[in-house]
Amino acid sequence: MSSITPATGVVSFEEARRIVDEIAAKALATRGGSGETEILDLLSARGRVLAEPIVADRDFPPFARATRDGYAVRAADVAMTPTRLRVVGEIKAGDLPDHLTVDSGQAASIMTGAALPSGADAVVMVEYTSVAQPSHPNVAKDATLGWGTLAGEFVDIQRSVSVGENFVPRGAEARAGQRLLDRGRRLDHAGIAIAASAGKSRVQVFRKPRVAVLSTGDEVVEIDAAPGPAQIRNSNSYSLAAQVQNAGAEAVRLAIAPDERGRLRELIEEGLECDLLLLTGGVSMGKYDLVEQVLGELKAEFYFTGAEIQPGRPVVFGSCGAGIPARVRASNPASARVGMPAPHRKYFFGLPGNPVSTMVTFELFAQPMIEALAGMTPQRLIFLRARLKAEIRTKTGLKRFLPAVLSGEFENAEVELARWQGSGDIATLARANCYLVIPPDRERIEAGEWVPLLMR
Ligand code: AMP
Ligand code: MG
């Protein structure tokens, strides 16, 4: 059989990420997620992507809301302090003070979350007041006021307030009809709070994209099988499935593909029925690394066939068009503009088989594609910085994402490399809590330097 040589191109990390972002943005624009939607109970929609905006059904807040316990006053009355005001009522949260007006020389006792009465334009915190004439239990309620205030009660105000202090005006957070959350937003607990406050007990979300996970390798066996002395268990399908689920998609674990063309091709074709296919293993330079060749036979278009990173250098990104001949890319795909992906193109990543490489390349490249297929604008990759605990010496040429431990507390974060045995070392990765990012031109980084890191 004649093998089709795929277009090759090893690109810098930034270029690889730019290509992924561009394809992801186009996939999002052409498909708007999977296109299909469903309606879920609010809590079941946690982690899902909104297919409808959440709109304010009324003003937020719906009334001028006191943010402190204290006294609703006219700021002008308390410009000079101390001063004494007559208490004309009490407003609890939930009360509607529509028969109460605070006139000059008056105050109303008010609780946090209660509606400001008319006439008042500020709230003095209770801490800066004292009841001037303690009430007696036998004093009758003032029937005309009706707010549970005791007739003849006065309050001494010790501090001035400005107009607008200690309350939020009606509609200050949002006006009725205003969009609170956009379509395409992934619902986290804050988004759930907004939907709940707008009365959305059920929300419309995009169907989760289906992501096929296909591990390859003659040495790889299922985790419940007894491995032979030279075999290893298929941990990648499980770590990837977990990452896929975290990213908001449904993982479809396929059977393990042997390093044999026919069966590998069958399984790849099965995987291409999903919205995205993630392969692991078989993308290096070994004699039995067949993934790119088989994808080439399936007329794949390759966007890149490697990135200058460690771990994960052999990572491959491309797409297959159902029955459509691939546009054959220029010899350096990085220099060519990435073509407009048609709605029916199926994307794939060939991730290296080493478990740490698999996990890192998923985060760097597959995650944004999944987010786009889920209907959301992919999140930017943001590196944080922490102080390096111990000097690092490394080789130049590749951008490195090395398992590291971020420790310390509060403002004193420090980071150090986890001592590892290379990209197969899952035990070290499990102990690590971030990746230390080392630029390709650095040979030595001194202790105390601020270094970028990627949380995981
Ligand atoms: P490959 O990328 O196929 O050359 O594999 C690189 C390394 O990753 C080898 O040591 C493989 O045994 C290991 N490996 C490949 N696939 C898996 C898998 N599914 N689970 C765990 N380790 C794997
Ligand atoms: Mg292999």
Side-chain angles (χ1 to χ4, degrees):
M1 190 182 351
S2 71
S3 71
I4 296 164
T5 313
T8 53
V10 177
V11 298
S12 69
F13 164 70
E14 287 74 13
E15 178 64 3
R17 179 71 195 202
R18 193 198 61 72
I19 291 171
V20 171
D21 285 341
E22 194 177 321
I23 300 277
K26 283 173 178 164
L28 179 64
T30 32
R31 300 154 70 121
S34 61
E36 291 164 44
T37 65
E38 55 187 320
I39 292 180
L40 296 179
D41 287 341
L42 183 53
L43 261 188
S44 314
R46 188 187 59 82
R48 302 293 296 271
V49 178
L50 283 173
E52 59 171 351
I54 302 290
V55 174
D57 62 326
R58 55 182 188 156
D59 288 345
F60 280 66
F63 50 84
R65 181 181 63 210
T67 56
R68 303 284 184 184
D69 294 320
Y71 288 86
V73 299
R74 292 170 173 244
D77 281 355
V78 298
M80 305 284 279
T81 52
T83 188
R84 182 167 291 188
L85 301 173
R86 181 165 189 266
V87 179
V88 293
E90 178 188 89
I91 312 153
K92 306 193 300 294
D95 287 342
L96 181 68
D98 58 351
H99 293 109
L100 183 66
T101 298
V102 172
D103 287 323
S104 187
Q106 298 181 337
S109 167
I110 193 164
M111 314 299 148
T112 299
L116 201 72
S118 65
D121 57 18
V123 172
V124 181
M125 288 167 68
V126 71
E127 288 86 340
Y128 305 126
T129 67
S130 54
V131 174
Q133 188 181 307
S135 48
H136 299 288
N138 57 352
V139 179
K141 262 190 183 176
D142 185 328
T144 58
L145 295 172
W147 293 98
T149 300
L150 302 171
E153 194 170 284
F154 288 87
V155 62
D156 284 338
I157 307 288
Q158 279 108 32
R159 264 207 202 178
S160 300
V161 281
S162 325
V163 172
E165 215 171 306
N166 296 327
F167 76 93
V168 183
R170 175 176 178 161
E173 293 159 6
R175 287 285 178 198
Q178 198 176 317
R179 197 177 287 184
L180 300 171
L181 290 179
D182 285 328
R183 180 177 189 264
R185 157 83 185 240
R186 193 168 182 203
L187 275 182
D188 62 358
H189 59 278
I192 297 256
I194 290 174
S197 66
K200 293 286 291 181
S201 57
R202 290 166 70 71
V203 290
Q204 190 187 22
V205 296
F206 287 114
R207 177 178 70 73
K208 285 186 190 179
R210 296 175 75 237
V211 178
V213 174
L214 173 54
S215 284
T216 72
D218 282 340
E219 78 283 26
V220 183
V221 295
E222 270 315 341
I223 61 171
D224 46 9
Q231 291 182 318
I232 54 134
R233 295 196 179 95
N234 177 16
S235 62
N236 284 351
S237 284
Y238 289 85
S239 60
L240 274 180
Q243 287 180 293
V244 164
Q245 288 168 0
N246 279 343
E250 185 190 326
V252 179
R253 280 183 301 105
L254 303 182
I256 296 165
D259 294 320
E260 182 270 308
R261 260 170 225 277
R263 180 69 181 137
L264 177 59
R265 179 173 172 146
E266 265 173 35
L267 285 164
I268 287 178
E269 283 176 319
E270 190 181 330
L272 288 171
E273 283 165 24
C274 287
D275 299 296
L276 177 70
L277 166 62
L278 301 179
L279 294 122
T280 88
V283 288
S284 310
M285 300 303 285
K287 188 172 166 195
Y288 298 100
D289 289 327
L290 303 171
V291 165
E292 279 173 63
Q293 291 178 29
V294 171
L295 284 163
E297 287 170 21
L298 292 168
K299 307 221 181 324
E301 179 179 11
F302 291 90
Y303 305 128
F304 55 79
T305 55
E308 288 157 0
I309 56 171
Q310 193 242 339
R313 192 172 187 278
V315 60
V316 170
F317 178 36
S319 67
C320 286
I324 298 173
R327 280 194 309 103
V328 179
R329 184 160 285 287
S331 58
N332 180 3
S335 64
R337 276 198 52 83
V338 169
M340 168 64 88
H344 47 263
R345 285 203 84 80
K346 292 295 178 66
Y347 303 96
F348 60 79
F349 286 92
L351 308 178
N354 262 316
V356 178
S357 314
T358 311
M359 290 186 241
V360 174
T361 49
F362 177 93
E363 282 189 45
L364 297 179
F365 305 118
Q367 170 106 16
M369 202 61 210
I370 292 180
E371 289 171 345
L373 294 170
M376 65 183 276
T377 305
Q379 288 172 313
R380 308 237 74 132
L381 202 60
I382 301 175
F383 301 153
L384 309 177
R385 277 178 193 271
R387 273 193 196 283
L388 185 64
K389 218 167 159 180
E391 186 199 65
I392 297 175
R393 284 171 186 278
T394 179
K395 289 190 212 110
T396 55
L398 298 174
K399 187 156 194 148
R400 292 171 207 272
F401 297 86
L402 304 180
V405 178
L406 182 65
S407 59
E409 202 180 14
F410 304 128
E411 292 89 351
N412 303 312
E414 9 173 54
V415 66
E416 67 184 323
L417 285 183
R419 216 165 293 134
W420 69 328
Q421 304 300 320
S423 25
D425 187 350
I426 332 178
T428 293
L429 189 73
R431 276 194 300 275
N433 55 11
C434 63
Y435 301 103
L436 208 154
V437 185
I438 304 180
D441 58 350
R442 294 296 300 270
E443 271 185 312
R444 176 159 175 265
I445 305 176
E446 278 171 58
E449 220 180 282
W450 288 93
V451 289
L453 50 95
L454 181 64
M455 294 310 295
R456 80 166 166 83

